[in-house]
Amino acid sequence: MAVVLATSPAAGLPWSDGARSEGSLLERLTAQLLTLPVREVLVVVRSQDAQAGGWEKGAESGPRHQICVSDGLAEDLRIVAKTARASTSPVAVLAADVVAHTEALSLLLGHPARPTGAIVASGDPAPLRPPVRTEWGRVVSAGTSFHEVEWANGTFRGVLQVGESHLAGLADIAEDLADLAQRRHLGRVGDGEVAELLLTGLVRAGVQVHAVALGTLHCGRAGTRPAAERAVRELADVDEAQARLGAAVKSGDGFFTTHCVSSWSRHLIRPAARLGLTPNTVTGISVGFAAIAAIWFSDGNRTGLVVGAVALYLSFVLDCLDGQLARYTRRFSPLGGWLDAICDRLKEYLVYVGLAAGYVTLPDKAWEIWALAVAAMVLQTIRHMVDFSYAGAVADRARAAGRRAAAPRSMAVPWDEAPAAAAAKGTGSVLALSRRLDALSGAKRVAYWAKKMIVLPIGERMALISVTAALFDARVTFLALLGWGTVALAYTAAGRMARSFA
């Protein structure tokens, strides 16, 4: 279900691709939404626009297109609340003056997992681009004309989707905001800020909101005719097919994955799709390459170690390719996600066994290499337990936030608190200090990659195993994994605790 707010004059702006007129921005956006997995589009208009267009309240303008008349911001929010309570599927909220690539909208609205998320992009904040702060792919702070954002690093582009598990929370937030708007407690917030208000409310209620990055695609709001025409020209300058390919490559990966795998594995996506390979098939082939690596490692000689290292690297390339192919073809499934996670562990432990079996040492010292292998497995298992248990706790908190009956009243910062007072809270925390250090332009990039590498993600682990096995032996490999893994465990645990108490 998509709620399109055609409550500003910009919704009726004509647009042109440079050759012919294509109608209004509202008509363009509605047509785009109906090509996506959107069951129905509810267009909210003002009373005067409804009279001018000959619309009546609740009138149908198409089999999947309904008109709803509203008299102001408070009623807009109550319409969203009513829609959320009645819906049995995710609800999207958009302004009718959004000008975007269809592929950009599909990054959020066409995702099979249908998560709660918002389209964000870089750039300076503007009246139609309110600031947000994102961390690790999540929106952690969002602003409106009334609510400020500290340490903003992006802007909201007017497209919000709320997943099914968070609809009750959305309805409560929208109703409370409607009451505040009716009592004029939201300061200078305008009629066109419904999506921004809801995003701010969800974030403040503790709901996990995915930050959907655009890459080279465009998505934004146009307030004037020149801005709309300029935005449409910008759309034409981008190859959507190529952009879709780029969007299939996951952002936010570790240093090794980003620079040594994803930099060229993207060229395998289209051939894999043309061959009809599914993501699960690619996962299975990746396991096969890991088994080949383990067999060569078990040989124990230098040739076997080098060939095993190459096979392990190719296995990891395919491990990245299965996710890229899933995003490119939008073929996601719970089974695929589960298989990917299980096979990652299976491949890594197969390689440990192969390395230990091939280690050449004195017979009475064989126990040492197996002890190191088991220790490496145990350490990695503990690290995964820490990660998954924390992720589960965060997910439980998000689900609880989505079920709250009065989410805004439980927020740390009241809705009508002065923005300056809200911004002043928490500035002395460890996390605030970390952000200040990150903001130093000279060290920002180094700090970013250092944080990525110190946690020893799977890309760095595969590189560490491959390089140490090919150049040295299994004993060096296991000692390196234990040393770096222990540091990573301590760093991750400390970070989890700091965030829990922040």
Side-chain angles (χ1 to χ4, degrees), residues 104-144:
L105 298 174
S106 183
L107 291 175
L108 177 61
L109 307 184
H111 196 294
R114 311 307 296 274
T116 297
I119 293 182
V120 301
S122 58
D124 296 329
L128 296 180
R129 295 202 307 263
V132 296
R133 185 173 76 249
T134 63
E135 292 179 0
W136 305 105
R138 300 286 188 273
V139 179
V140 297
S141 183
T144 67

Side-chain angles (χ1 to χ4, degrees), residues 310-359:
V310 173
L312 181 59
Y313 172 69
L314 294 176
S315 173
F316 181 64
V317 171
L318 292 171
D319 184 41
C320 295
L321 180 63
D322 62 3
Q324 294 167 357
L325 183 62
R327 286 184 286 274
Y328 181 76
T329 60
R330 301 194 183 95
R331 299 177 67 175
F332 298 90
S333 68
L335 174 62
W338 178 79
L339 279 177
D340 186 54
I342 293 297
C343 289
D344 282 347
R345 307 291 81 75
L346 173 63
K347 291 181 291 186
E348 191 168 353
Y349 296 160
L350 272 177
V351 167
Y352 288 0
V353 171
L355 284 167
Y359 184 70

